[in-house]
Amino acid sequence: LAKTTQPISMDSYEGQEVNITCSHNNIATNDYITWYQQFPSQGPRFIIQGYKTKVTNEVASLFIPADRKSSTLSLPRVSLSDTAVYYCLVGDVDTGGFKTIFGAGTRLFVKA
Amino acid sequence: DTEVTQTPKHLVMGMTNKKSLKCEQHMGHRAMYWYKQKAKKPPELMFVYSYEKLSINESVPSRFSPECPNSSLLNLHLHALQPEDSALYLCASSQEGQSSYNSPLHFGNGTRLTVT
């Protein structure tokens, strides 16, 4: 099962770009990389998913190098409301991707 | 609001009680999940149902008993719990297996369980 490693916490200021990098050295060929955001007392919320190169949506970008052993979530111009825990996940191809295990996550604090 | 609805939002139960947590989704998803989350920790996978059949049980104690009556509903029956079982219980659904098939998880906001 691919394990992910992220920084425990990060601080930023409003208006800055934040980049959170996740390491997943033993990612399987079929695995997608998925990022979730979680606020206190709420369930995690899907942010973005990718397989390789770059993916962008209305809230974030995901950069994945050719070897796919890491990925970087980029949040442009963060605001106070982006303070949350961010989780990077990769699946378990042996169980068809069902065994979705969360790593420790990165606590992002956005200051005014 | 989320597309996965969990009830109740809060539950307090004694160690001898029997209670059930309920989860419902109407997105046509065929995989449903239970996770347990303690304070300041990541969600821990408990059970996975695929096409209404239990496909993964992460060695969860038998005092937790899952049930999937149909493709839209998922229950978690609780009996003889311990105080350390107090946590946020999260339900999720996905079209297929989460990461391998480009099918992200959709979570409810959980049931906050306190065992006294």
Side-chain angles (χ1 to χ4, degrees), chain B residues 25-31 51 71-72 93-96:
Chain B
Q25 58 88 14
H26 295 289
M27 295 177 282
H29 289 173
R30 303 314 300 263
Y51 289 86
S71 60
S72 299
S93 68
S94 68
Q95 284 185 331
E96 297 288 346

Side-chain angles (χ1 to χ4, degrees), chain B residues 23-97:
Chain B
C23 175
E24 189 169 359
Q25 58 88 14
H26 295 289
M27 295 177 282
H29 289 173
R30 303 314 300 263
M32 296 188 77
Y33 308 70
W34 281 115
Y35 283 84
K36 171 184 176 180
Q37 187 174 29
K38 303 281 274 185
K40 297 193 184 300
K41 297 291 186 181
E44 298 174 37
L45 183 64
M46 300 175 71
F47 303 104
V48 181
Y49 274 82
S50 175
Y51 289 86
E52 301 160 46
K53 293 192 185 322
L54 183 65
S55 62
I56 295 176
N57 176 344
E58 288 289 273
S59 302
V60 179
S62 59
R63 58 186 183 268
F64 296 91
S65 175
E67 178 195 21
C68 189
N70 60 55
S71 60
S72 299
L73 295 174
L74 186 67
N75 299 322
L76 186 63
H77 302 298
L78 313 172
H79 175 53
L81 294 193
Q82 303 297 310
E84 58 265 28
D85 295 322
S86 298
L88 181 68
Y89 287 84
L90 294 162
C91 173
S93 68
S94 68
Q95 284 185 331
E96 297 288 346

Side-chain angles (χ1 to χ4, degrees), chain A residues 13-75:
Chain A
Y13 289 93
E14 282 189 295
Q16 289 188 334
E17 178 184 75
V18 171
N19 295 309
I20 306 174
T21 296
C22 178
S23 170
H24 28 79
N25 290 321
N26 58 341
I27 187 170
T29 303
N30 292 344
D31 279 343
Y32 280 78
I33 299 153
T34 313
W35 286 79
Y36 292 86
Q37 175 193 55
Q38 187 177 26
F39 299 112
S41 298
Q42 292 186 23
R45 184 182 71 165
F46 170 78
I47 300 175
I48 198 166
Q49 186 177 59
Y51 185 78
K52 62 180 177 181
T53 64
K54 178 183 174 183
V55 180
T56 298
N57 63 22
E58 63 275 8
V59 298
S61 295
L62 179 60
F63 298 92
I64 305 169
D67 66 6
R68 304 196 336 116
K69 292 185 183 300
S70 66
S71 59
T72 298
L73 175 72
S74 181
L75 305 172

Side-chain angles (χ1 to χ4, degrees), chain A residues 77-104:
Chain A
R77 296 180 297 283
V78 294
S79 63
L80 295 176
S81 62
D82 292 316
T83 293
V85 180
Y86 292 83
Y87 294 101
C88 159
L89 281 75
V90 297
D92 177 1
V93 67
D94 291 336
T95 65
F98 289 114
K99 196 167 183 175
T100 307
I101 305 297
F102 282 75

